[in-house]
Amino acid sequence: MRRTAVDDGAASSRRDKPKPARPTTARRWPRWSELGPLLRPRPVQLDPTQRRLSRALSIADLRTAAKQRTPRAVFDYTDGAAETETSLRRAREAFQRVEFQPRVLRDVTVVDTTTTLLGRPAALPLALAPTGFTRMMHHQGERAVVRVAEGASIPYALSTLGTTSIEEVAAAAPTARKWFQLYVWRDRGAGKELVERAQAAGYEALILTVDVPVAGARLRDVRNGLTIPPSLTLRTVLDAATHPWWWVNLLTTEPLVFASLTSWEGTVAELIDQMFDPSLTPRDLSWLRESWSGPLIVKGIQHVDDARMVVDLGADAVVISNHGGRQLDRAPTPLEVLPTVVDAVGDRAEVLVDGGVQSGADVVAAVALGAKACLVGRAYLYGLMAGGERGVQRAVDILTSELIRTMQLLGTDSVSRLEPAHVRLRP
Ligand SMILES: Cc1cc2nc3c(=O)[nH]c(=O)nc-3n(C[C@H](O)[C@H](O)[C@H](O)COP(=O)(O)O)c2cc1C
């Protein structure tokens, strides 16, 4: 019995003892002949702008590069919004809430991104929004932006507060689809003159921006003491040490001025409050409708009744927009307003939307929810700041490839087939 017990114990301890692991992978010394083909050093990119841009894989990457390349006041002027910046944050969050509803087993080898805008073809459901003071972001300014729009076959809107004249922009890109954005001055004669110049220079459409009765409170600009042209203060001089090329470019190219104003020295808010007319009413829209024979777009619509009103008064298109959050804080979120406006006026006018568009997938979502196209502002301005014309091109390329990939993954081969069923807005 004892022996048996001992024997049993020995047998069980033999069973519990871990067996030496049998190697599953046989190892050997690497052979030089096999290492060679693996060595594929990336070509050295000597051009720093090209290097910076090719590393940027998203608009957010371009934003990071833009921040490094420009003085703080310039970056903040572009990046910032009004007061608590809630309008802008919500606009971007609305796009984050998009949940796509993909369909499978569809042939998406070829994707047709083309559409029509104001009855004419556009390569993408995208337009480059009017942005004031563009040559402050990069000395190539509006010329760079309109050239990229020309190459990409999408419209570009020049702002009344542009830093390159109506005629110079037209000359820089003769075949581009150019829209002129108008703010109505207190001096109506001056506004009328701009409209006539735009018509003479071959601009296709007029955008009337209606969400700026007074300047929004852009606190970053106030804190940074931003003036136009930039003033030389102790802070800006110190900044010059960290962004020398921006300053060299500013001081060695044509003076930075508002091209449609004789001269201005002060802040943007002061300019808006002194020059813009806060007494604008529907009568002014009727006046403009009579003076401009081409397509008329009203930008800054945030309520469905206003959309109806301006379409009744002859607008061919509306842009649902809160000015990228730069005017009224806690304004309606454009993507959320979109379906109601499309229902109300979509059969009589084109409905465009902007605010917070940061990717091609955002554009797909907006078009699925009924927008004819999106306008983008900051997305291309980040590119401009990061690398001039090539940076704007990079921004448009990023948006385009994201748009195509999203459509393929959604199982849709044409912009014209995007529909509300493709998108759900998560609560
Ligand atoms: C720096 C900057 C300047 C702008 N200037 C103008 C302008 O002069 N006229 C105008 O109608 N909208 C202007 N906007 C608003 C844009 O046209 C557009 O509505 C907005 O940028 C869309 O939001 P996003 O920047 O998130 O794309 C400006 C926007 C930015 C960022």
Side-chain angles (χ1 to χ4, degrees):
M1 289 286 283
R2 256 177 81 209
R3 188 189 290 173
T4 312
V6 168
D7 281 350
D8 279 349
S12 82
S13 83
R14 254 197 318 274
R15 264 199 309 276
D16 294 345
K17 203 161 147 197
K19 286 190 189 143
R22 196 181 294 158
T24 47
T25 315
R27 297 208 176 262
R28 59 178 172 81
W29 287 104
R31 288 182 201 125
W32 288 116
S33 61
E34 290 167 354
L35 275 179
L38 299 180
L39 290 175
R40 268 175 250 137
R42 277 207 221 158
V44 179
Q45 183 51 262
L46 293 175
D47 179 343
T49 305
Q50 207 49 49
R51 197 164 54 233
R52 190 177 329 115
L53 294 177
S54 51
R55 279 192 200 136
L57 304 181
S58 63
I59 299 298
D61 291 344
L62 285 177
R63 177 181 179 276
T64 307
K67 195 170 184 179
Q68 287 159 1
R69 298 291 301 165
T70 44
R72 182 180 179 150
V74 173
F75 177 79
D76 276 351
Y77 172 70
T78 310
D79 191 62
E83 306 192 31
T84 63
E85 306 196 351
T86 300
S87 293
L88 177 61
R89 217 169 19 255
R90 285 186 184 158
R92 289 184 177 160
E93 276 165 13
F95 283 109
Q96 298 302 312
R97 287 196 291 113
V98 164
E99 182 182 279
F100 287 112
Q101 309 290 310
R103 300 299 306 272
V104 296
L105 300 176
R106 313 269 168 117
D107 181 355
V108 287
T109 321
V110 179
V111 171
D112 180 6
T113 63
T114 60
T115 186
T116 57
L117 286 175
L118 304 173
R120 288 179 51 185
L124 297 161
L126 190 69
L128 303 183
T131 56
F133 219 26
T134 314
R135 284 191 52 244
M136 181 173 73
M137 288 74 168
H138 189 281
H139 64 283
Q140 293 174 356
E142 288 88 353
R143 288 186 185 87
V145 186
V146 75
R147 280 194 195 117
V148 173
E150 182 177 48
S153 300
I154 55 175
Y156 165 64
L158 172 68
S159 163
T160 297
L161 297 183
T163 42
T164 309
S165 74
I166 292 173
E167 294 77 13
E168 285 163 338
V169 166
T175 65
R177 290 188 64 181
K178 293 172 289 287
W179 299 347
F180 182 69
Q181 178 266 322
L182 184 74
Y183 285 124
V184 176
W185 301 127
R186 287 174 198 262
D187 173 2
R188 293 297 149 88
K192 194 161 186 299
E193 194 192 309
L194 290 178
V195 172
E196 284 164 4
R197 279 172 57 189
Q199 199 140 26
Y203 283 63
E204 165 199 347
L206 194 65
I207 303 185
L208 175 69
T209 297
V210 291
D211 55 9
V212 188
V214 296
R218 301 174 198 158
L219 302 184
R220 294 202 220 179
D221 296 351
V222 180
R223 292 194 180 108
N224 292 326
L226 179 76
T227 59
I228 290 170
S231 358
L232 284 174
T233 61
L234 178 62
R235 197 201 279 194
T236 50
V237 170
L238 289 176
D239 180 82
T242 47
H243 301 100
W245 282 114
W246 185 89
W247 283 95
V248 167
N249 288 329
L250 175 78
L251 298 171
T252 59
T253 54
E254 57 190 303
L256 183 60
V257 289
F258 288 118
S260 296
L261 287 174
T262 37
S263 76
W264 183 259
E265 304 234 329
T267 67
V268 182
E270 286 163 357
L271 167 84
I272 290 175
D273 288 342
Q274 286 189 32
M275 308 286 286
F276 291 17
D277 190 349
S279 73
L280 218 61
T281 67
R283 251 181 302 141
D284 297 288
L285 181 58
S286 305
W287 159 75
L288 201 60
R289 182 62 289 183
E290 279 159 27
S291 347
W292 176 263
S293 55
L296 179 63
I297 306 168
V298 178
K299 172 170 178 282
I301 293 298
Q302 300 172 66
H303 193 289
V304 63
D305 291 347
D306 285 344
R308 277 198 200 94
M309 174 185 66
V310 299
V311 172
D312 288 346
L313 289 171
D316 301 287
V318 295
V319 186
I320 305 171
S321 170
N322 59 32
H323 217 99
R326 297 163 76 80
Q327 286 297 109
L328 177 67
D329 200 17
R330 290 183 283 174
T333 301
L335 191 69
E336 292 173 354
V337 179
L338 174 65
T340 329
V341 173
V342 171
D343 276 354
V345 300
D347 55 342
R348 295 189 288 145
E350 293 189 354
V351 180
L352 292 83
V353 69
D354 77 15
V357 174
Q358 292 279 289
S359 78
D362 294 347
V363 179
V364 171
V367 174
L369 289 173
K372 193 76 176 131
C374 288
L375 267 60
V376 288
R378 293 178 184 84
Y380 80 76
L381 290 176
Y382 294 143
L384 182 68
M385 290 191 282
E389 183 171 337
R390 284 182 288 169
V392 179
Q393 185 65 57
R394 183 80 183 134
V396 170
D397 289 346
I398 288 172
L399 294 172
T400 307
S401 66
E402 289 169 340
L403 180 137
I404 293 173
R405 187 173 57 250
T406 304
M407 287 183 54
Q408 288 174 311
L409 293 172
L410 256 183
T412 311
D413 67 357
S414 166
V415 161
S416 62
R417 290 213 185 90
L418 286 169
E419 54 183 18
H422 283 119
V423 167
R424 189 172 82 88
L425 275 187
R426 294 168 68 89

